[in-house]
Each structure stands twice: as structure tokens, then as C-alpha cells.
Amino acid sequence: MTGKVVTMAHGGGGSRMLELLEEVVFPAFGEPILAAAEDAAAVSLPGDRVAFTTDSFVVKPVFFPGGDIGKLAVCGTVNDLAMRGARPLYLTMGLILEEGLEFAVLERVLASAVFWSRKAGVRVVAGDTKVVEKGAADAMYINTSGLGVIQAGREVSIRGAEQGDVLLVSGFLGDHEAAVLSVREGLDFQVDVDSDCAPLHGLVEVMQGAGAVHALRDPTRGGLAASLKEMATSSGMTIELVEEDIPVREAVKAFCEVLGLDPLLLANEGRLVAAVPPHDAGEVLAAMHDHPLGRDAAVIGRVIDGRKGEVSLLTPLGSHRLLRMPSGELFPRIC
């Protein structure tokens, strides 16, 4: 496939499109259900509660430190399922390709998506491919939908935070957005940090095995601040954070200082924040530390009774600063 590029004919529904699917897309996944090319995949679901989600990924550039759009699409959808306590089982993948995209780029992205879907234990069983005119897209976009099952007693909701709960975060914040922006055309910052992009369902599973988890959220767009505002509002609680306890790498802090950004607003793609009852917090935190994706987990605050939806930050000077939802986004297309 060296030197070949995607053309409008590859999206025309004829022989060239079949060639793209049979020579590039189907072999990449090696999934019999996908290769059968039915209009819909027929799958089996154990249990009686399912979680179903969808998301679209338009990150720029397609390849960034620590990941790529294929890895991001798989992990992002797996994590949306995991935040409801679901075990991910199936994914669909829709590809929107720009005319002129090199086959080599597509194959590299698909190989990454395959690697991470297998690592996450999910099967890509359905999909779609469209080609748009050059200039109508930027290389490629991916839409994924995910289906998972929820075991009895494992369902989690962002509305579940209770007074007295301890807030845990699974690791350093802001790595993903800093990594993507560091290679964004026109910025070219040299930041020694990789994206945190990773599938979190395994970490959630060990956390739930160690104790109760009342609420979960992965702090993607809008970062920790937006996620906790949503949790506080949905639960009808107040959240109080301790700024010094929130893990942020020195490189990310420096990056934010240069660009005038708040690390608590930066997007993450492999982190979670959890509200856990105080009597279980120690064991859940220990379980997180034993998992590769939770080694840097930390206690960052508590859920208290107060004004509904308020999130405050205790600064090193002893003052309180209210966190607000971001009203805009300086750098779109980070996920």
C-alpha cells in the first residue's frame, strides 16, 4: 500500500470502496462479524443491564506523544462505559477520511485501534467508512459507539456522591492536553510529557473489588474542574479540594504558566476521579496504587454538605477559590 492515498472513489460505494474495506479495514481488525459486512452486527449480551455510549474524535494532529486518534477513540469510548461501572464488550467504528489521506496513515491508525481494543478486551463488530473532498476534513475523524454490561451492584452514577465521601484521582492531571498542544502546528512547545490516554475499566474493576465507589468521572474536556462541577451539581453536594494535594507534573505546570492556562481545566484521557465513602477510601486507594494506571493516585478533597454544585479549592495560602465551568475552549480538537 506504500504511496497509495484515499480517493473519492474509495467512498463511492463501488469496487474501490470494497477494495479499501477488504484490503485495509477488515484485515486490520480480523473480526469475523465485521468482515461479514452485514447491515448490523448480531451479538450476545450477558446479564440484564447494559451501558451504551457514543463519541466522536477529531484530534489534531492525528499522531501525538503517547497516542493517536485510533487509540484515543477506543480508550475514550471504553472509559465512558467504565465510568458507569460497565465491562466494555463491543465497539462500532465510523471512519470519515479526507481525500488524499495516505493509506500508510490509515493503516497505522487502524493498527493502533486494533491493539488497544484487544488490550481492552473489546471487539469492533460494526463500522462505516466515508470519504469527503480534500479540505472538507482534516486527515481523518473517527466516531465510536460502545456497548458494555453492568454486573449487579456495580452500576455507578455521577449523581451518587454523598456527604463525607473522599475524592480520589487516579494520577497526574493535564498530561493529555499538554502533550497534544505541544505538537500542535504553530505552537511547537517542547514538553517532556506523553498523553495519559489509556483504557480505565480494569482500574475501575479493582477499585470496586476493594470497596464501594459512589461516583465516577473521567475528566476529559474541561478537565477536573468541569467534571467535579458536574458531580457536585448532579449529586446536590459541595466539593472541597486541597490544591497542594492535586497531582500535576512540574512540566505541565510550567507549560500552563507560559500559555496562561489552568491545569485543572486541561483535558485528560486516562484519568478518573472517584467519590468513595470514608470507611472504604484507604482500601480503594491502596488497590489503585497496585494497578499500573493508578500508581500516582491521591486523595484530593472531600464531598461536604453545602451549596449545591459548588466546588472550592483550598490554596496553599489558606484561602478558598471557587472553581467554575470553563466558558470556552482556547484550543479545540484535543480529543
Side-chain angles (χ1 to χ4, degrees):
M1 296 296 172
T2 303
K4 291 191 70 174
V5 299
V6 173
T7 67
M8 291 301 296
H10 287 116
S15 60
R16 297 294 298 279
M17 182 170 180
L18 190 60
E19 170 191 304
L20 176 68
L21 296 177
E22 292 185 341
E23 295 186 8
V24 179
V25 179
F26 293 161
F29 291 98
E31 171 58 62
I33 296 179
L34 185 65
E38 296 277 5
D39 281 342
V43 298
S44 300
L45 292 175
D48 58 0
R49 289 285 287 171
V50 300
F52 185 37
T53 187
T54 190
D55 207 344
S56 298
F57 298 86
V58 297
V59 65
K60 179 183 180 179
V62 169
F63 302 102
F64 49 84
D68 57 79
I69 193 171
K71 177 183 180 182
L72 188 63
V74 170
C75 294
T77 305
V78 163
N79 291 346
D80 284 345
L81 295 171
M83 294 306 107
R84 293 305 310 274
R87 178 166 61 90
L89 291 179
Y90 302 109
L91 296 182
T92 70
M93 183 166 291
L95 304 172
I96 298 176
L97 310 178
E98 183 188 20
E99 180 187 17
L101 176 70
E102 295 179 3
F103 270 41
V105 172
L106 175 60
E107 290 169 330
R108 184 179 165 190
V109 168
L110 293 177
S112 177
V114 170
F115 176 85
W116 286 101
S117 60
R118 289 176 178 167
K119 192 173 181 65
V122 295
R123 297 168 63 186
V124 179
V125 295
D128 181 52
T129 302
K130 294 290 189 299
V131 179
V132 297
E133 295 88 350
K134 191 169 185 60
D138 194 350
M140 64 182 301
Y141 304 144
I142 298 178
N143 172 268
T144 46
S145 295
L147 196 61
V149 294
I150 305 173
Q151 294 181 13
R154 292 294 179 96
E155 187 164 348
V156 188
S157 168
I158 195 172
R159 301 185 304 273
E162 298 180 4
Q163 183 178 348
D165 279 354
V166 176
L167 281 172
L168 307 176
V169 69
S170 63
F172 290 99
L173 296 171
D175 290 3
H176 173 71
E177 187 160 347
V180 172
L181 293 183
S182 71
V183 291
R184 179 69 59 82
E185 185 177 357
L187 293 179
D188 196 25
F189 277 83
Q190 298 297 318
V191 182
D192 187 20
V193 63
D194 286 344
S195 166
D196 51 53
C197 184
L200 293 170
H201 63 295
L203 177 61
V204 173
E205 188 173 336
V206 301
M207 291 170 65
Q208 291 187 307
V213 177
H214 285 162
L216 278 174
R217 198 68 160 186
D218 55 338
T220 53
R221 282 182 300 174
L224 183 71
S227 295
L228 291 184
K229 283 291 290 183
E230 292 169 353
M231 186 181 292
T233 301
S234 299
S235 302
M237 290 286 154
T238 293
I239 288 176
E240 189 175 66
L241 303 174
V242 179
E243 186 173 9
E244 288 182 306
D245 294 339
I246 300 174
V248 180
R249 299 184 197 279
E250 290 303 319
V252 174
K253 290 180 181 176
F255 176 80
C256 287
E257 287 175 2
V258 171
L259 291 180
L261 302 175
D262 183 345
L264 302 187
L265 297 178
L266 295 189
N268 312 270
E269 291 291 344
R271 302 287 186 248
L272 62 80
V273 58
V276 177
H279 53 79
D280 284 345
E283 292 189 7
V284 173
L285 183 62
M288 295 172 77
H289 286 158
D290 286 339
H291 192 278
L293 297 177
R295 289 197 190 101
D296 300 307
V299 175
I300 60 171
R302 290 186 177 277
V303 179
I304 60 177
D305 188 21
R307 186 174 298 176
K308 179 180 178 180
E310 188 171 282
V311 180
S312 68
L313 189 69
L314 177 61
T315 72
L317 299 176
S319 60
H320 281 84
R321 173 166 70 92
L322 289 180
L323 290 186
R324 303 185 187 281
M325 292 282 282
S327 59
E329 193 166 32
L330 291 176
F331 299 101
R333 299 189 55 192
I334 49 175
C335 53

